[in-house]
Amino acid sequence: MTQEVKEIRRIRIDKNSILFKLWKYFVSFAALILISIWLFQTVFLSSFYETMKIHEVTKVGNQLRAEYESEDFETKLSNYANTKGLEIKVLDETGAWVFPLRLFDEFIERPRMIWENFDKFFGSLKRDNRIYKIYTVRYENLKDPSIIYAGYLGNTNGEDYYLYINSVLKPVDATVDVIRRMLIIISFISLVMALIISYFVSKRLSRPLVRMSNTAKELAKGDYKVEFRKGEYTEIDDLSNTLNYAKDELTKTIEMRKDLVANVSHDLKTPLTVIKSYGEMIRDISGPNEELRNKHLETIISEADNLTALVNDLLDLSKVESNLEEIKKEEFNLEDSLYYVLDRFKINKNYSEYKFNIKSKGNTKIKADKSKINQVIYNLINNAINYSPDNKEIEIVIKGDSKFTEFHCIDNGIGIKEEDINGIWDRFYRVRDNHARPEIGTGLGLYIVKTILELHDFEYGVHSKFGEGSDFYFIATK
Ligand code: ADP
């Protein structure tokens, strides 16, 4: 209970919270509806009533005028008068009543409209060249105003006949008063209800967001086991999916970074130890023996190469990741790039053991960032060499047409297991237990390849069979 009270107080102060805003909108909406009803009922009711009456009287008048020639015209007149509660009269051109007539009226003089009124209603029709007119008049003997319809019926036997309809406007003030009192009560109840209901609705609507924010706080504190809960709304489901995905990626990266530190430390330590011990060996043992000394020096050089490769990988990674470098596209020949990269490998004696079978055909020109694509080719060939300990034949295929150029680096090495295929493109990912030379590689090469190719929007992938070899490829668009 105290928790609840605290909550409400906190939310009232926090005017930017979803809960407060939703609540505010709900209540404003309810108030707006109430105000509209008020305005309509109290201000516009009388004029609305009058407009409706005018409309009704006009309709009846026009209908009757249209029926004037019909045989049962008089019956219709009485019907309308009775059903609609209207006073309907037909007058001749002297202003005398023709309808309604009672039998004895034949013997006395027919009642007549005051000439002044007759002229006002009907005389003006001819003068203004109109068929009918509507008036709102206030008769002295009547309290309430009337709507008068004055229309010209037609000419029969040389005499003009007129239609007169009178509808008294019943006072709406009393009704308005009753409605007003009712509205005060209804408004009060509605507002209180809107306040209460909307508070709970808003609280319910904002609940998953509050929950999510709490989970995110836990994640921020370093608890990677938290789960963003789904439920209630599609949008929230989407959001928790995204956040869960982000959390998984974050966890993966953190774990891989831990791995990297371990790997890199190991990768640095091993060659350094080798270099140190071989250096000592040269100093103490092989110094004067040229043949042995050279052998030891070769090992030192090769280990230094490994160190250089590792440092280069780390540098490339930070370059690619920092996104500072944008791609600078130019047109160049992919085949030229291949030979340029292969030349770099040739410097290292070990690589001469490998046989490169190059097949190039078609238009091999592409438009891309040359140095970055060189790096892709370098990393792919480097992997092909590293993971082909026995069969040292590597095939490189470049084939191009007017739209695409494909590059394949096919080795007959150890291949990749099905379950590792998706992981190899991730940062710091190294297939465990099957490294031909575990001291080689940082798990960064393919991540760099992937990042560069995605920057170019080039399709890429690998076909591989464990124990048989791999075909790494990318397709450059022109
Ligand atoms: P690394 O520096 O470890 O080679 P990469 O990102 O280049 O890192 O490759 C990731 C992993 O993918 C490697 O550890 C290796 O297990 C696997 N891999 C890459 N290329 C090949 C290949 N040509 N043949 C077999 N496995 C490969």
Side-chain angles (χ1 to χ4, degrees), residues 269-368:
K269 218 173 125 199
T270 318
L272 281 175
T273 320
V274 175
I275 288 172
K276 186 169 176 259
S277 49
Y278 273 74
E280 282 167 354
M281 260 154 61
I282 294 170
R283 184 192 65 197
D284 302 335
I285 306 165
S286 59
N289 180 341
E290 195 185 340
E291 199 186 328
L292 195 59
R293 190 183 64 217
N294 281 349
K295 217 172 137 196
H296 289 166
L297 281 173
E298 277 308 329
T299 313
I300 291 179
I301 291 168
S302 148
E303 290 305 325
D305 281 347
N306 285 346
L307 276 180
T308 315
L310 173 66
V311 172
N312 280 343
D313 261 6
L314 288 171
L315 284 177
D316 290 339
L317 174 77
S318 65
K319 258 198 259 168
V320 171
E321 284 205 323
S322 65
N323 263 348
L324 290 174
E325 275 189 314
E326 281 172 16
I327 48 170
K328 295 175 215 87
K329 283 195 178 181
E330 60 182 304
E331 200 178 62
F332 61 93
N333 198 328
L334 202 56
E335 199 183 332
D336 294 346
S337 282
L338 170 67
Y339 285 112
Y340 169 78
V341 172
L342 283 178
D343 269 350
R344 280 172 63 196
F345 281 109
K346 273 180 200 153
I347 307 166
N348 196 319
K349 210 176 135 201
N350 283 343
Y351 296 108
S352 59
E353 298 165 17
Y354 289 82
K355 187 168 174 276
F356 286 96
N357 184 5
I358 294 159
K359 290 181 185 161
S360 170
K361 63 174 182 187
N363 176 4
T364 59
K365 277 209 174 114
I366 65 165
K367 209 168 172 216

Side-chain angles (χ1 to χ4, degrees), residues 2 24 51 82 97-98 108 130 132-133 141 154 192 245 277 281 302 313 328 353 390 425 433 447:
T2 46
K24 197 171 79 182
T51 316
N82 292 335
W97 295 17
V98 180
I108 57 165
R130 297 271 296 275
Y132 74 88
K133 276 186 174 183
N141 53 343
V192 171
Y245 175 72
S277 49
M281 260 154 61
S302 148
D313 261 6
K328 295 175 215 87
E353 298 165 17
D390 304 322
W425 304 96
D433 303 324
Y447 175 71

Side-chain angles (χ1 to χ4, degrees), residues 383-384 387 411 414-416 424 429-431 435 441-447 470 472:
N383 280 351
Y387 301 106
D411 64 56
I414 58 171
I416 304 160
I424 54 168
Y429 189 96
R430 299 160 96 190
V431 175
H435 268 63
T442 51
L444 296 175
L446 287 182
Y447 175 71
S470 316
F472 280 87

